[in-house]
Amino acid sequence: MAIKNYKFWFVVGSQELYGPEVLRTVEARSREMAEELSKVLPYPLEYKVTAKSNSQISDIVKEANYDDSCAGIITWCHTFSPSKMWINGLANLQKPYCHFATQYNEAIPNEEIDMDFMNLNQAAHGDREHGFIAARMRMPRKVVAGYWKDEKAHKRIADWMKAAVGVAVSKEMKVMRFGDNMREVAVTEGDKVETQLKLGWQVNTWATGDLVKEMNAVTEAEIDALMAEYTASYDIATENTAAIRYQAKEEIAIKKMMDREGCMAFSNTFQDLYGMEQLPGLASQHLMAQGYGYGGEGDWKVAAMTAIMKAMGENGNGASAFMEDYTYHLVEGSEYSLGAHMLEVCPSLAGTKPRIETHHLGIGMNEKDPARLVFEGKEGDAIVASLIDMGGRMRLIVQDIVCVKPIMPMPNLPVARVMWRAMPDLATGVECWITAGGAHHTVLSYDVTASQMRDWAKMMDIEFVHITKDTTPEKLEEELFLKDLAWKLK
Ligand code: MN
């Protein structure tokens, strides 16, 4: 799936007062910094302007708003830049905004430093004036401070850039729904109009019959080509080739329909497979591996979040996947959650080579045994994220987890599985998650961090709740109560 070639713009603040020589130096250094930073950041940083007036700033903001490839602006003040001249521009800014409080020189040069040096190198002074106006305007922004060649600063800007790409992807998100939500389920519901207003998502429905029609038009040659891809990526552990070919047909048809509409995510439900022999299992899994988002039981919110978090990850398609909390291992001293889904777990989580298997699926209207990928999830620090509709507003809940190699082989479990320990511990973690209203569906990510999700939520202007190793149910209850009041006033 093609992710746009996003870029970020470097906008440097100054003023005319310093005269042409100083301004030439500022521009040359800013260009150099943008070029050097582009080599170490995940997206290019383009030097745009050394802004010296209200109109220059307003103009560059208008251009940034208009340019679809611009995923955000990074500002810095090499010199002092009186910030009343930033007001009109910033008031119109519709792109993510990061203020990089840095300095061209690393050390104060003992012999060289004089008043001229101080006038040229006064970011310590200029960045405070610049920070004030954004605070005064209550602008959502990321502040990163540090030397511009320091890896710690690079990491923070890189993380923010990926979150900003998540904003760009969110604003263009289109979700294709096959069938409605699973009957009677509450947490997968939500206000699609409010969501579109806030997050930009276009969530619409297509008939299962349209998909079946598309499937009937898939050729044997198309299926052969996809079968070759399956064989190259996965171990075939079934004799039932017809079931795999049927999944290939489903995948090709879903992909064609999504690509035709520009959709990056889809949902379906086992309650509406009318005209289909199998719930898409392998089909959904292999689509997720390509970066598409998916949500089971009509869960369009988790479908879109999966696509967004995948796009925020490494190379625009990181290890993030649709997940469901299934069952617990409550034995004292080794408490774990077991996550899986009926079929649809993305192979980006796999710690072992996925096997294609076919098994009977009792739930839903499967006429034939669906093919699916079976594997164990890998070890490592991860997060689970759940977006819920609180009525009039959205809440994003993120919990830190530690994934382990599943502690038992579970040879009769016919689906991919991931095992993890929730923070701060299983019981407290579950108490906190349930207190906050987190869903049974989540996006599990080894790639995107809680801090990136915090940045994303801030930029999207939605509530963010983070359950960490230090969270207690008491502190969380108080936090939720205060946030509820604050969001009602907002
Ligand atoms: Mn589910």
Side-chain angles (χ1 to χ4, degrees):
M1 199 177 60
I3 292 278
K4 264 206 197 93
N5 293 319
Y6 290 110
K7 291 173 186 166
F8 289 80
W9 290 10
F10 195 33
V11 178
V12 178
S14 192
Q15 60 180 334
E16 297 288 1
L17 185 78
Y18 299 103
E21 200 190 318
V22 164
L23 291 171
R24 266 196 301 275
T25 306
V26 169
E27 175 166 348
R29 288 178 173 184
S30 303
R31 275 186 196 284
E32 178 198 345
M33 288 164 72
E35 277 167 28
E36 291 303 312
L37 284 166
S38 293
K39 294 175 190 166
V40 292
L41 294 171
Y43 293 92
L45 181 64
E46 270 184 17
Y47 167 79
K48 280 292 170 182
V49 68
T50 297
K52 300 168 285 286
S53 68
N54 190 305
S55 62
Q56 277 180 319
I57 296 162
S58 291
D59 287 350
I60 200 71
V61 166
K62 278 183 219 160
E63 278 178 49
N65 287 343
Y66 189 74
D67 189 329
D68 284 342
S69 70
C70 172
I73 66 164
I74 297 181
T75 61
W76 169 53
C77 297
H78 190 310
T79 62
F80 196 71
S81 178
S83 66
K84 275 163 72 174
M85 71 187 192
W86 285 78
I87 294 172
N88 301 54
L90 290 180
N92 289 326
L93 180 65
Q94 294 166 351
K95 294 291 168 98
Y97 165 30
C98 172
H99 177 183
F100 187 24
T102 189
Q103 183 169 281
Y104 183 74
N105 54 303
E106 185 178 24
I108 294 173
N110 181 44
E111 295 298 324
E112 187 193 339
I113 189 164
D114 57 11
M115 252 356 262
D116 285 345
F117 181 93
M118 295 261 273
N119 278 329
L120 174 61
N121 298 286
Q122 53 175 306
H125 173 179
D127 277 326
R128 280 172 164 73
E129 168 74 358
H130 189 64
F132 162 74
I133 203 64
R136 169 67 179 80
M137 293 170 76
R138 274 82 173 167
M139 293 189 67
R141 92 276 206 208
K142 181 79 176 176
V143 181
V144 175
Y147 182 47
W148 65 282
K149 290 182 179 171
D150 181 13
E151 278 178 20
K152 290 191 292 296
H154 298 165
K155 173 80 172 65
R156 286 180 40 83
I157 295 174
D159 283 354
W160 172 81
M161 279 182 160
K162 290 175 177 178
V165 163
V167 171
V169 170
S170 181
K171 290 189 173 170
E172 295 187 344
M173 178 57 58
K174 290 184 181 180
V175 182
M176 181 167 277
R177 308 183 71 210
F178 296 108
D180 202 343
N181 294 50
M182 180 180 167
R183 285 187 283 278
E184 307 289 356
V185 177
V187 79
T188 55
E189 292 283 356
D191 182 341
K192 299 191 204 75
V193 173
E194 177 66 20
T195 306
Q196 187 163 352
L197 212 53
K198 204 79 188 182
L199 306 178
W201 303 357
Q202 302 167 56
V203 182
N204 289 296
T205 190
W206 275 260
T208 309
D210 291 336
L211 176 56
V212 171
K213 206 160 120 193
E214 193 73 44
M215 281 167 58
N216 290 338
V218 172
T219 66
E220 290 302 306
E222 286 173 307
I223 295 174
D224 290 342
L226 188 51
M227 288 293 285
E229 226 179 284
Y230 290 163
T231 311
S233 311
Y234 312 122
D235 288 335
I236 313 277
T238 175
E239 309 272 283
N240 189 349
T241 309
I244 308 177
R245 293 185 71 85
Y246 193 82
Q247 291 284 333
K249 190 196 280 192
E250 289 179 328
E251 174 177 339
I252 292 160
I254 296 169
K255 184 170 166 28
K256 277 184 188 169
M257 286 183 71
M258 280 202 286
D259 290 351
R260 201 180 296 141
E261 297 291 336
C263 292
M264 295 179 72
F266 71 109
S267 66
N268 59 10
T269 167
F270 64 89
Q271 285 174 333
D272 186 0
L273 299 177
Y274 194 83
M276 297 166 76
E277 289 176 8
Q278 302 176 20
L279 176 65
L282 171 60
S284 299
Q285 291 173 294
H286 194 247
L287 283 165
M288 281 188 271
Q290 294 161 67
Y292 294 96
Y294 171 77
E297 292 93 63
D299 192 342
W300 49 272
K301 294 200 298 300
V302 83
M305 286 307 298
T306 303
I308 290 167
M309 289 174 67
K310 277 177 174 294
M312 282 167 66
E314 210 52 39
N315 301 318
N317 183 14
S320 299
F322 167 60
M323 184 49 61
E324 179 167 273
D325 289 75
Y326 245 106
T327 196
Y328 301 127
H329 188 67
L330 293 173
V331 177
E332 198 164 357
S334 69
E335 291 106 330
Y336 295 105
S337 295
L338 180 66
H341 205 256
M342 249 182 274
L343 303 172
E344 312 89 342
V345 183
C346 175
S348 68
L349 307 186
T352 55
K353 191 173 182 189
R355 293 184 312 278
I356 299 179
E357 300 182 8
T358 50
H359 298 276
H360 177 67
L361 179 62
I363 202 160
M365 308 186 295
N366 293 279
E367 292 169 23
K368 301 267 177 72
D369 296 352
R372 79 288 306 272
L373 294 170
V374 181
F375 56 85
E376 285 187 343
K378 56 189 176 188
E379 299 174 12
D381 291 345
I383 57 168
V384 281
S386 169
L387 183 73
I388 57 168
D389 188 325
M390 292 297 289
R393 69 188 176 83
M394 311 294 271
R395 169 182 288 166
L396 180 68
I397 305 158
V398 172
Q399 183 164 37
D400 296 336
I401 63 170
V402 178
C403 295
V404 297
K405 179 179 162 52
I407 60 167
M408 52 189 90
M410 298 173 278
N412 293 313
L413 187 65
V415 288
R417 70 294 300 267
V418 182
M419 196 171 251
W420 67 84
R421 187 184 304 120
M423 292 292 119
D425 57 73
L426 189 137
T428 317
V430 170
E431 284 177 17
C432 290
W433 187 265
I434 289 175
T435 300
H440 55 283
H441 284 168
T442 58
V443 184
L444 187 150
S445 182
Y446 293 91
D447 187 336
V448 177
T449 64
S451 142
Q452 287 175 298
M453 292 314 292
R454 179 191 296 277
D455 285 347
W456 183 82
K458 186 166 63 178
M459 291 186 268
M460 303 310 311
D461 192 28
I462 61 169
E463 182 187 356
F464 178 78
V465 175
H466 187 195
I467 302 167
T468 71
K469 65 178 176 37
D470 301 318
T471 306
T472 66
E474 295 76 18
K475 272 194 285 185
L476 181 68
E477 261 181 37
E478 199 171 330
E479 175 191 333
L480 293 173
F481 172 72
L482 293 174
K483 280 183 170 161
D484 214 29
L485 290 178
W487 282 93
K488 272 174 194 152
L489 294 173
K490 225 170 135 100

